[in-house]
Structure formats: structure tokens, C-alpha cells
Amino acid sequence: RDEATTMRSHHLFLCALIFFVPNVSCDFVPKTWKVNLDVPPEQRWPWKEMLPIYNQSVWDALGLIGDFIPWWGQDAVEDLALDILPHLGEYAGEIRAGAQILGIDLAKVTLLNIIYEVEAGCTSIVAQDRNGFMLHARNLDFPLSSVLKRLTIIADFQKGGKTVFQGTTYVGYVGLLTGMRRDGFSVSVDQRESGYVIENLLEAFFVPGTMTGSLLVRDTLQRNLSSTYEDALTTLSNVPLAAPIYFMLGGLTAGQGSIITRDRNYAVDVWSLDAKSGRWYEVETNWDHWLPSGDTRRKTAEEGMNRIGANSISLQGMWDVLSLDPVLNGMTTYTALMSPHYGNYTVFVR
């Protein structure tokens, strides 16, 4: 069995052992849902099957809007979100269908699809193992994680009945903050100082070709199924974005790991692995890598990686690093472990 499968079995076994212990939480693997890319956008997601499982949690998630936008401005911002919807291309059809079947106001669902990434705190790590292959892992932190944990899913995107790429997202959110295509590349999104929500909405509405970071990740994985790490690096560095962001990108072979630091219009920095000079891993939280970090997550993760070392690093080791306090914290919704070369895509809700 591969490493990720072994990890999953061990965690499920431990969960079984502590199931009857009061007040003990356990990591668990979220449910996987198939997304059929062979049909029109309105029919791709299994919204009807999701409804009885997630409906109450989706309504709970609507409370997130009040955390970003004061009550007196919500109506105007929701109207603007509806104006933006046609600019989202085929993804607009997916959002409309989800809103209709889940029974949620279209403006609110559209707004959630735009603002989620604005407040997503994260830790992403890409590393080169002793065989020269890429490993990629991330924690996704978000306010009200107790709600989002109940909405976390793995989306298995298929064409011709076969998986073409996978991603982790929240029910009703059609973009991806984490995703991977086997034998291709992996990508995760970390929030960068993003300005005001209204500023990002106006950017998305008035600047032609602008995308949200999560939809750009999805588009990069989906648009050209033969695209390479280099193709993804070019796309993620240059497509206009509604808000500044960090992309962590992992490929297949030595050196194919990068932190892409984005402004709205272009990449201000691309920092790639260089194992020969000693940079066999990179850590990104929510601060530019050349500046001091605003908290100790980066320092803690770097110390953990250094203790393991380049010759011993593995997905298990990266799991251990992402489980250190405060890298793992009260806002962590899930941890993802990825390797396009080894074919591992494993997610645990924390």
C-alpha cells in the first residue's frame, strides 16, 4: 500500500479506538463526490444527493457573510455579486444550479463563492524528497471552522467516467483552494493581504478577464488536461485576480516547487526550490516570504522540516509538521497531502 493509504488506515483505526471516549475529537476523511465534466454546468454537481446531508450546514455557513460585510451594506454588495455572476463563465451555471437545488438565495451563494478566499489563513509546504520528487501539503484555516468542517468535501472531477483531477472544497463553493492532477501538478491557495471585500468585488466586475483565485485554480486544472507544471506556473502568475493571493505549486520532478506571490495584475515574486543550494522545501503562511512573519506558524513549520531533513522527508513527516501547534490551530478545517508523481491525494478534516 502507498504511504497515504497507510496513513488513512492508521487514522481510522485510532478513531475507532477513541470513538466512545467523551469530548475527544478525531480527524476524518471527508466524503468524495463525483463532478461530471461531460455534461452542462447545471448538471455537473450532485446537488440533489448533497441536499439532505449538507443543507443545514450550508444555511449555517451563510452566517459567514456578516463576518465580512456589515449588515447595512449587505444588500448593495449582494446586488453587485449578482452583476458579477455572468462574468464567471461556465461556473455561473454551477452556482445557479446549486443555489436553486439547495434552496439558497443566489446572491448569497455567489457572494460566498467570491469572498471565501479573502479570509482563508493557511500554511502550505512544498518539498523535494530524496528521490527528487515533489511532496505538497497544506492546512486550510478559516473562521467558523466548526461550520466549514461539516461542509468539507473532496470533489472528484471526471471525464468519460475517469478521474482527471481532484480538489478539496466546501459544499456550494465551486472553486478550489486545494487541487491536484496526477502526473501533472498540485496547487494550494493561501490568503494574502486582500483589501476590502467591496474592493475585490469591484475589481472582479470592472476589470475584464479577472478571476477569483479559487476559480483560477479550478480553471488551470480543468481547461487543458495535458498542461504541465510550467504551464500552470505561467497561468497562475499572469491571469488578473480579484484579490492578492499566494499560490503554492508543486510539480513532478526536482525543482518543480514554487511560491507565487500575486498582486491583482501579476506575480510580484516567484520563489522556486533549489535543493542544490539547500532550499529543498518552502513554507508559505500569509506573509511575503522575504518579510518577517506576523506569527510563529512559519517558524514552527520550518523548524519541523529541518528536524526531519531532506533525506527523510515524506508525506507522513509533513503531516507531523502540519500537526504542530500553532500550525494546527482552532481554525484549521482540513489538512491535505499531495504528490502528483506518487499519485497521493489524501485529505483529513481536523
Side-chain angles (χ1 to χ4, degrees):
R1 294 185 299 179
D2 60 48
E3 180 184 6
T5 301
T6 301
M7 287 181 61
R8 185 185 300 111
S9 299
H10 287 171
H11 277 82
L12 292 176
F13 176 69
L14 290 174
C15 285
L17 288 179
I18 68 172
F19 184 78
F20 294 106
V21 180
N23 301 319
V24 176
S25 62
C26 186
D27 308 322
F28 65 91
V29 178
K31 187 173 177 60
T32 297
W33 295 89
K34 296 178 181 178
V35 182
N36 185 359
L37 298 177
D38 292 323
V39 299
E42 293 78 8
Q43 302 172 25
R44 290 174 177 170
W45 293 80
W47 299 123
K48 292 182 179 179
E49 290 79 4
M50 290 178 168
L51 179 61
I53 301 174
Y54 301 105
N55 190 50
Q56 182 57 55
S57 296
V58 171
W59 279 98
D60 293 342
L62 294 178
L64 288 170
I65 293 177
D67 288 359
F68 304 114
I69 305 168
W71 65 267
W72 47 263
Q74 287 186 21
D75 288 344
V77 172
E78 288 176 11
D79 288 343
L80 181 56
L82 287 178
D83 291 333
I84 292 171
L85 186 61
H87 296 260
L88 301 183
E90 62 183 298
Y91 305 118
E94 298 181 8
I95 294 170
R96 287 192 188 96
Q100 180 180 6
I101 295 173
L102 295 173
I104 305 286
D105 181 76
L106 179 58
K108 288 182 169 59
V109 174
T110 303
L111 189 56
L112 287 176
N113 271 271
I114 295 171
I115 68 173
Y116 259 136
E117 64 201 63
V118 173
E119 290 295 328
C122 313
T123 301
S124 290
I125 308 173
V126 66
Q128 182 173 311
D129 72 8
R130 62 184 176 184
N131 298 314
F133 300 122
M134 294 299 106
L135 307 175
H136 187 166
R138 70 90 46 84
N139 280 355
L140 194 144
D141 304 338
F142 205 90
L144 297 182
S145 62
S146 61
V147 174
L148 294 179
K149 289 177 183 181
R150 303 198 304 267
L151 292 171
T152 302
I153 61 170
I154 297 173
D156 187 34
F157 295 88
Q158 298 192 349
K159 288 183 74 68
K162 296 182 179 180
T163 300
V164 290
F165 65 94
Q166 292 177 292
T168 307
T169 190
Y170 304 115
V171 174
Y173 187 64
V174 304
L176 296 176
L177 300 175
T178 309
M180 187 192 86
R181 195 174 72 236
R182 296 190 179 204
D183 295 321
F185 56 89
S186 55
V187 59
S188 59
V189 173
D190 288 11
Q191 177 255 343
R192 194 176 181 223
E193 178 55 46
S194 302
Y196 296 103
V197 170
I198 187 66
E199 182 182 2
N200 299 329
L201 288 170
L202 290 171
E203 184 83 11
F205 183 63
F206 288 113
V207 178
T210 296
M211 300 188 74
T212 67
S214 61
L215 288 181
L216 180 57
V217 169
R218 165 105 182 255
D219 213 58
T220 303
L221 287 161
Q222 179 174 312
R223 188 65 57 187
N224 179 359
L225 297 179
S226 62
S227 60
T228 64
Y229 166 87
E230 290 80 7
D231 296 328
L233 186 64
T234 298
T235 299
L236 297 173
S237 297
N238 292 289
V239 172
L241 295 173
I245 216 163
Y246 302 105
F247 293 115
M248 179 71 87
L249 182 65
L252 293 171
T253 58
Q256 290 190 338
S258 297
I259 298 171
I260 306 169
T261 302
R262 282 295 311 266
D263 274 346
R264 287 186 169 90
N265 296 322
Y266 54 85
V268 297
D269 182 77
V270 177
W271 198 41
S272 298
L273 293 181
D274 185 0
K276 291 182 179 179
S277 66
R279 194 166 65 249
W280 56 273
Y281 73 88
E282 292 174 349
V283 175
E284 177 57 60
T285 53
N286 303 107
W287 285 269
D288 296 345
H289 69 83
W290 59 90
L291 297 176
S293 178
D295 60 33
T296 60
R297 286 176 298 143
R298 183 203 296 170
K299 180 175 183 289
T300 300
E302 290 175 342
E303 290 174 347
M305 294 294 288
N306 290 334
R307 281 195 297 270
I308 296 171
N311 290 327
S312 300
I313 193 61
S314 64
L315 288 176
Q316 175 66 63
M318 294 172 79
W319 165 271
D320 293 340
V321 170
L322 290 174
S323 298
L324 296 171
D325 180 36
V327 183
L328 179 69
N329 56 75
M331 292 196 301
T332 303
T333 58
Y334 68 80
T335 298
L337 306 168
M338 303 175 279
S339 175
H341 171 78
Y342 294 116
N344 289 331
Y345 189 85
T346 306
V347 178
F348 290 100
V349 176
R350 306 305 298 268

